[in-house]
Amino acid sequence: MFNKRFVKPQRQVLHQASPYVGHFNDLAYVSNIDVLVTQKSLPNMSAKLTFDQPRRCFKVEGQLSAAEQAVIQQQVQHLSVIAANAQIANQIRRLKAGQRIQLQGDIVHVHSVKSGQAFWVGVGSAYAAQCVLLRITHIQKIAA
């Protein structure tokens, strides 16, 4: 299960791109697609998970019980994604909230070629350990 958001970074570590570009460039997708993934449907909670755009990580709005906090730590992952090719990029753009998917890829570290500045996700977030930059090499929808 997942949710997806296109984001606009506050600073330009890598070039910005719209959700659709005229031709494929894998780095165009570093800075603008975030995916929130859960291993299974989360139980009903009084708090809400939302995207924290400046930190490129999710945040919790409201209060969580200790049990709910444990579920989030075990089952939720925030991915800022790089598509490995144009086909993967098109699949990512077409995903809908609540779909079941299987992802394969590599956690990566990206630096600007010009400045050497790192592209970090999750900095300053209480959930930074659950926020990664992922280069997706395979994506598949799973039947419900």
Side-chain angles (χ1 to χ4, degrees):
M1 306 293 288
F2 85 100
N3 198 359
K4 171 182 71 175
R5 166 107 15 123
F6 292 103
V7 297
K8 182 177 177 184
Q10 292 181 340
R11 66 178 197 280
Q12 223 175 342
V13 176
L14 299 170
H15 73 281
Q16 296 179 28
S18 67
Y20 178 79
V21 292
H23 63 281
F24 177 72
N25 177 342
D26 61 350
L27 293 183
Y29 298 97
V30 170
S31 64
N32 73 339
I33 301 175
D34 281 6
V35 179
L36 191 60
V37 180
T38 61
Q39 293 179 15
K40 57 184 178 179
S41 294
L42 295 175
N44 288 333
M45 296 184 287
S46 56
K48 179 180 173 184
L49 297 181
T50 62
F51 288 93
D52 185 349
Q53 184 171 328
R55 291 186 175 91
R56 299 301 295 267
C57 196
F58 67 93
K59 64 182 176 181
V60 177
E61 292 180 351
Q63 297 295 318
L64 293 173
S65 68
E68 291 171 334
Q69 184 70 28
V71 167
I72 287 174
Q73 288 178 342
Q74 293 170 3
Q75 296 186 24
V76 176
Q77 187 77 50
H78 183 117
L79 311 173
S80 292
V81 301
I82 302 171
N85 57 48
Q87 179 185 3
I88 301 290
N90 287 330
Q91 287 177 296
I92 292 168
R93 283 196 298 267
R94 288 180 175 83
L95 291 173
K96 305 289 184 225
Q99 281 182 323
R100 293 182 50 153
I101 58 173
Q102 179 180 12
L103 296 173
Q104 291 179 351
D106 304 299
I107 294 174
V108 296
H109 302 283
V110 176
H111 293 81
S112 168
V113 173
K114 274 187 174 179
S115 68
Q117 183 176 10
F119 181 84
W120 295 105
V121 294
V123 175
S125 171
Y127 301 96
Q130 294 167 252
C131 302
V132 298
L133 186 58
L134 181 73
R135 181 175 178 268
I136 298 176
T137 56
H138 179 79
I139 186 169
Q140 179 179 353
K141 292 180 188 175
I142 300 172

